[in-house]
Amino acid sequence: MTDATPSSDGQTLTVRDDRTGKEYVLPIVDGTIRASDLGKIRVSDDEPGIASYDPGFTNTASTRSAVTYIDGEKGILEYRGYPIEQLAEKSTFLEVAYLLIHGDLPTKDQYDSWVHDITFHTFVHENIKSLMQGFRYDAHPMGMLLSAVGGLSTFYPEARNIHDADTRHLQIVRMIAKMPTLGAWSFRHAQGKPYVYPDNDLSYAENFLAMLFKMSEAKYEADPRLVKALEVLFILHADHEQNCSTNAVRSVGSSQVDPYSAVSAGIGALYGPLHGGANEAVLKMLRRIGDVSNVPAFIEGVKAGNERLMGFGHRVYKNYDPRATIIKKATDDVFEVTGVNPLLKIAVELEKIALEDEYFVKRKLYPNVDFYSGLIYEALQFPPEMFTVLFAIPRTAGWLAQWLELVNDPEQKIARPKQIYTGGRGLTFPSREERWA
Ligand SMILES: CC(C)(COP(=O)(O)OP(=O)(O)OC[C@H]1O[C@@H](n2cnc3c(N)ncnc32)[C@H](O)[C@@H]1OP(=O)(O)O)[C@@H](O)C(=O)NCCC(=O)NCCS
C-alpha cells in the first residue's frame, strides 16, 4: 500500500490497480479526489499514470470558487451566499455586481463611489465607434460586441498588467460600464440609427434603455416598471458558476492575457446556440404551436420523442429553475406596460400540462430561465439576435468576478487538458512524387 496524506476530515478512497495488485489511498477533499493523485497510479515509473477522461467536464471540478452556489436538486442559486430571490427583489444590478466582484455587500460610501465610477466610464473612445460603424449593415450584434470588447484591450494596454490590483480594478469598472454602450450600439447599427451616447444622469438600466431607444427627444424617460424588469433580468443573469462561457473566460485568462481578451472569449462562448440561444428557440416553438388548443397535441409529440419542449430541463437544475419563477413574475409587470404577448397564454398552458404530466415529472423537467425570458425581450422590442447581448451585459460582472478569483488563486495554472491520442504514429513521409504518381 502506498502512502497518501489523508484529508483533514480523514476521508479517503482506496483504489486497487488490478494490473499491479497495488492499492492506493487517495484523500477525498470536498467530495473530490485530486486528478494528480490518480497520476501516481502507474504500472511502471516510465509509463504515464492514470488520468480521467471527461469530455465537457461533466464530472470534473476545475476550481475552488466562492462566487456562486447552485444546488440543482433543490433549485437553489446564491451569489456570495445570498439567495437569488432576495437579490432580485431587494437589490440593484450594480449592487449585485459589487457583491460578485468584491465578495461582500457595499457600505453606503462604497456603493456610492462604485456607482459613480461605473457611471463615469460609460463612454468609449471614438475610434471604437468607428470600428463598430465599419461592420456590415446586417452584422450580428454579438459578433460586433465580441470584437468591440476584444478591441478595448488595444485602447488600454496597461490592462495586461494583471498582477496589479488597482489596474485590475480599473479594467473591471471600465468593462462593466461600457458593456451597455457597446450592446446598445450594436443594436442601433442593425437599424441604421445613429448611436446614442450615454447619459450619466441615468441609472445603469435606464441609460441602457435610453441608448437603445432614444430618438429626437431631449431626455429619454423609461417606464420605471420596465427599468425594474431589466434590473431583475440583469441580476438573474449576472453569474452561474462554471458554465461554458465562464470556463472560456477562465481558460483564456489562465494564460495571463488582459481581461478584455478573456471576456471576449466568454462572449464567443455565449454566442453559441447551446449556451445563449434557447430563449429564441422557445419563441419559435410557441409561434409554431400557434394556439392554446394545439398544446395537448404538441405535448404528445414531445412525449413520443419527436421534439423537445424548449425552455424545459437543465443540465444542473433537476427542479424548478429559481430564475424561471422570478422571470415569470416579471412578465406581469412588463406586459402591464407593453400589452400581453399572446404567446404567453400558450406558454402558461404548456407549463401547466407539463408540470402534471408523468413524462416530465419522472424526468425532473421543469421550466428553465429561458422559458419566459424570450417573451419579455420580445415585448421590449428586441429582435432575437439581441437576446444573447442582453445576457452578455450582466454576465460580464460574473465573468470578471471569476477572472479575479482565478488571478488571485495560487493553485491555478495555465489551462491545459490532457488528451487520449487516437491517431497514427511514426509514419514515414512519402514524397509528393510517390503519392501523386
Ligand atoms: C437543457 C438540456 C440540454 C439538458 O439536457 P441533459 O441534462 O443532458 O438531459 P438529457 O438530454 O439527458 O435528458 C434526460 C431525459 O429527459 C428528456 N428531456 C430533456 N429535456 C427535454 C425537453 N426539453 N423536452 C422533452 N424531453 C426532454 C430526454 O429526452 C431524456 O429522456 P430519456 O431519458 O427518455 O432519454 C435539455 O433539457 C434540453 O434540451 N432542454 C431544451 C433546451 C433548453 O431549454 N435549453 C436551455 C437550458 S438553460
Side-chain angles (χ1 to χ4, degrees):
M1 189 173 300
T2 322
D3 278 350
T5 320
S7 59
S8 51
D9 53 10
Q11 292 184 342
T12 55
L13 173 74
T14 301
V15 178
R16 186 186 139 81
D17 185 346
D18 292 327
R19 298 170 304 177
T20 58
K22 280 194 203 158
E23 277 190 2
Y24 299 80
V25 182
L26 313 182
I28 300 175
V29 180
D30 297 326
T32 61
I33 56 163
R34 290 248 163 195
S36 57
D37 281 343
L38 287 178
K40 294 174 191 159
I41 304 176
R42 55 179 78 204
V43 173
S44 64
D45 287 346
D46 50 5
E47 275 190 40
I50 293 262
S52 61
Y53 177 55
D54 190 7
F57 304 129
T58 55
N59 194 30
T60 296
S62 61
T63 186
R64 301 176 70 81
S65 179
V67 181
T68 290
Y69 174 80
I70 299 177
D71 183 332
E73 289 296 328
K74 298 199 182 109
I76 294 173
L77 169 62
E78 295 173 354
Y79 298 157
R80 300 284 188 186
Y82 293 99
I84 192 70
E85 293 81 359
Q86 293 178 28
L87 294 171
E89 192 190 329
K90 299 179 183 159
S91 190
T92 61
F93 171 69
L94 283 188
E95 188 176 41
V96 167
Y98 184 100
L99 172 70
L100 287 167
I101 299 288
H102 294 86
D104 263 323
L105 288 169
T107 61
K108 168 126 185 33
D109 285 352
Q110 287 168 334
Y111 181 68
D112 290 345
S113 91
W114 173 249
V115 172
H116 175 275
D117 290 351
I118 303 265
T119 307
F120 284 87
H121 279 93
T122 47
F123 277 72
V124 298
H125 195 287
E126 280 295 292
N127 289 0
I128 282 283
K129 188 175 153 197
S130 312
L131 170 92
M132 296 185 79
Q133 282 170 329
F135 279 91
R136 263 176 64 131
Y137 67 97
D138 58 352
H140 195 292
M142 269 303 258
M144 291 181 67
L145 186 69
L146 188 156
S147 313
V149 171
L152 286 178
S153 73
T154 66
F155 289 80
Y156 306 113
E158 76 274 18
R160 72 171 71 109
N161 186 9
I162 63 157
H163 298 296
D164 180 73
D166 292 341
T167 310
R168 284 197 303 258
H169 184 75
L170 180 56
Q171 314 319 316
I172 287 172
V173 167
R174 279 178 173 150
M175 231 181 303
I176 293 175
K178 294 180 197 316
M179 284 300 278
T181 313
L182 300 175
W185 287 3
S186 67
F187 171 75
R188 302 280 293 202
H189 185 82
Q191 303 181 326
K193 290 183 181 156
Y195 298 179
V196 176
Y197 286 100
D199 180 345
N200 291 349
D201 291 339
L202 301 178
S203 74
Y204 193 80
E206 272 176 312
N207 179 40
F208 180 49
L209 288 169
M211 290 187 289
L212 289 163
F213 300 120
K214 185 169 180 295
M215 291 308 289
S216 61
E217 64 271 44
K219 193 97 187 155
Y220 181 83
E221 279 177 34
D223 188 298
R225 289 166 295 183
L226 296 186
V227 176
K228 173 68 187 158
L230 195 59
E231 286 272 344
V232 168
L233 285 160
F234 277 1
I235 292 170
L236 299 184
H237 287 91
D239 197 55
H240 212 228
E241 52 118 307
Q242 308 310 314
N243 53 83
C244 177
S245 57
T246 302
N247 184 58
V249 171
R250 281 181 172 266
S251 187
V252 171
S254 75
S255 74
Q256 302 196 346
V257 74
D258 68 86
Y260 299 100
S261 303
V263 165
S264 66
I267 298 174
L270 194 58
Y271 201 169
L274 291 189
H275 194 353
N279 42 17
E280 187 184 346
V282 172
L283 284 182
K284 280 194 187 139
M285 173 188 78
L286 295 176
R287 259 189 214 110
R288 198 155 47 83
I289 297 173
D291 190 86
V292 175
S293 61
N294 298 329
V295 167
F298 178 81
I299 294 272
E300 285 314 310
V302 171
K303 285 161 64 176
N306 301 338
E307 57 190 317
R308 290 210 157 186
L309 175 50
M310 299 313 288
F312 259 66
H314 195 275
R315 173 57 64 76
V316 178
Y317 294 115
K318 300 300 170 197
N319 201 322
Y320 215 100
D321 179 340
R323 299 168 300 173
T325 322
I326 302 166
I327 290 195
K328 198 176 168 190
K329 274 194 219 140
T331 53
D332 297 338
D333 296 336
V334 171
F335 292 157
E336 210 179 283
V337 184
T338 63
V340 176
N341 185 332
L343 299 177
L344 178 69
K345 264 193 180 168
I346 303 174
V348 170
E349 183 66 10
L350 270 176
E351 181 185 346
K352 191 174 136 258
I353 297 193
L355 289 181
E356 287 165 0
D357 193 294
E358 205 217 325
Y359 175 94
F360 298 92
V361 175
K362 208 172 91 196
R363 290 171 178 77
K364 299 188 177 172
L365 300 171
Y366 295 89
N368 60 48
V369 69
D370 292 314
F371 193 63
Y372 288 104
S373 64
L375 287 172
I376 296 194
Y377 293 150
E378 192 174 67
L380 293 173
Q381 313 285 313
F382 290 113
E385 312 84 69
M386 271 300 284
F387 292 1
T388 30
V389 172
L390 294 162
F391 190 156
I393 292 170
R395 182 55 60 87
T396 299
W399 287 331
L400 289 168
Q402 302 269 351
W403 170 77
L404 209 50
E405 196 173 59
L406 167 97
V407 172
N408 286 315
D409 181 349
E411 263 205 319
Q412 287 296 330
K413 294 181 187 330
I414 185 164
R416 183 25 175 123
K418 273 183 177 291
Q419 65 167 6
I420 301 170
Y421 178 65
T422 60
R425 291 284 323 279
L427 307 177
T428 304
F429 182 80
S431 70
R432 280 186 209 151
E433 289 74 22
E434 277 178 77
R435 279 181 289 143
W436 297 347

